[in-house]
Amino acid sequence: MAKQGQSADIGQRAVSRREVRAHRILNAAATLILRWGYQKVTLDDISRQAGVAKTTIYLHWKTREELFAALMKREKLELAEDFKLRIAADPEGATLRGILKHPALALMQRPLMKAVLLRDMAILGKLTQSAESKSAYVEKLMGFKIYLEFLREHSLVRTDLSLQAQVYIFSAIFTGFFLVAPLMPDEFTPSDEELAELMAETAHCTLEARRPVSPDELQTVSATFMQYLTRSTQVVQEQFQKELEA
């Protein structure tokens, strides 16, 4: 029995070391992409930055493209986890106001995901196409559409606008604020917190119902939205974990 227990411990430590190494490689890739841009980063560069042999990288991913795909999965998962924590800490986090404010603040802490949103070719190059294709964006919107339908059923958003119009307006607010910010003179450029608050206020004034929301309603929408977030990330989380352990 003791030997079996020791074998299990050794196996668990091996998995842990493998995961730590995989994350070190991904960290190196992220650093170099932000420094030089995706097009210029090679596996040789990543191996030097991570302090591992190039052949070690192949133990985790067979190609450069697979490595970067794994990096983007990790970025999405970490962004989603940050978002969930922010939502959970805010009683109004699952309202449209919160659903704009909190992901905006989370995104500002993740330059790679911000580059994906802005289609920053200088940083991501062709990776923008594989990291966030139109089909993936449509799938994400359809998931949000279901949650928006829930808010409409409970009269927590306006119902005089069509559902399609509300999805479009919500997307335009979120993306538009990020796109405009780099174009503004310094004197008109808000801080990250101010930008997130402006997004939230715009969504509130444009889309939310003109009535107070009760604590019970807030608790209901929060629980529903957390379920939505969990479902939307569960498959990606399972795939990513398998890659790390393979």
Side-chain angles (χ1 to χ4, degrees):
M1 292 294 292
K3 289 185 178 179
Q4 289 179 349
Q6 290 172 356
S7 297
D9 291 342
I10 292 171
Q12 184 61 43
R13 285 198 297 273
V15 170
S16 177
R17 286 196 297 270
R18 183 179 179 85
E19 289 186 19
V20 168
R21 186 177 65 198
H23 281 296
R24 188 165 76 247
I25 294 169
L26 293 176
N27 290 342
T31 298
L32 294 176
I33 289 175
L34 291 171
R35 184 184 302 167
W36 297 333
Y38 168 74
Q39 300 294 93
K40 296 181 180 179
V41 178
T42 67
L43 289 180
D44 288 321
D45 297 325
I46 296 170
S47 68
R48 284 192 293 270
Q49 180 73 20
V52 301
K54 185 177 178 180
T55 53
T56 300
I57 295 178
Y58 290 125
L59 295 176
H60 296 273
W61 301 282
K62 294 182 175 64
T63 66
R64 174 176 177 266
E65 289 70 27
E66 286 185 5
L67 188 158
F68 286 119
L71 172 61
M72 299 315 297
K73 283 180 187 176
R74 189 183 72 167
E75 287 288 315
K76 291 176 186 177
L77 289 169
E78 290 182 351
L79 178 65
E81 188 59 32
D82 187 359
F83 182 22
K84 286 167 66 176
L85 291 173
R86 292 172 187 272
I87 291 288
D90 182 356
E92 297 185 0
T95 62
L96 284 187
R97 172 188 284 273
I99 295 172
L100 270 168
K101 175 183 176 180
H102 294 300
L105 289 170
L107 193 64
M108 290 166 189
Q109 303 302 313
R110 309 208 70 82
L112 277 180
M113 292 308 296
K114 185 177 178 182
V116 170
L117 174 72
L118 299 179
R119 296 284 201 240
D120 192 332
M121 296 293 290
I123 293 177
L124 296 180
K126 294 180 180 179
L127 194 60
T128 56
Q129 300 170 7
S130 59
E132 192 74 2
S133 65
K134 184 175 180 179
S135 61
Y137 187 69
V138 170
E139 182 180 351
K140 192 179 300 181
L141 281 184
M142 293 307 292
F144 176 69
K145 175 175 171 284
I146 294 171
Y147 180 67
L148 193 55
E149 287 173 339
F150 172 83
L151 295 180
R152 287 170 67 93
E153 289 170 4
H154 289 76
S155 301
L156 296 173
V157 296
R158 291 171 56 183
T159 54
D160 58 319
L161 291 171
S162 71
L163 182 61
Q164 289 76 11
Q166 287 177 322
V167 170
Y168 190 93
I169 292 168
F170 184 91
S171 301
I173 292 171
F174 189 78
T175 306
F177 270 79
F178 276 105
L179 287 172
V180 168
L183 305 177
M184 298 297 291
D186 290 343
E187 61 183 301
F188 294 109
T189 302
S191 67
D192 289 351
E193 291 74 18
E194 289 170 337
L195 181 65
E197 287 290 350
L198 286 172
M199 282 188 191
E201 183 64 18
T202 302
H204 171 66
C205 293
T206 308
L207 297 174
E208 290 192 314
R210 300 293 190 269
R211 69 173 182 82
V213 183
S214 71
D216 287 344
E217 288 176 317
L218 287 173
Q219 186 175 3
T220 299
V221 297
S222 180
T224 301
F225 189 68
M226 293 301 281
Q227 290 173 3
Y228 158 70
L229 276 181
T230 300
R231 287 196 304 270
S232 66
T233 58
Q234 187 173 9
V235 174
V236 178
Q237 177 66 62
E238 291 172 356
Q239 291 174 344
F240 182 66
Q241 192 62 36
K242 286 180 181 178
E243 288 181 16
L244 294 184
E245 296 174 356

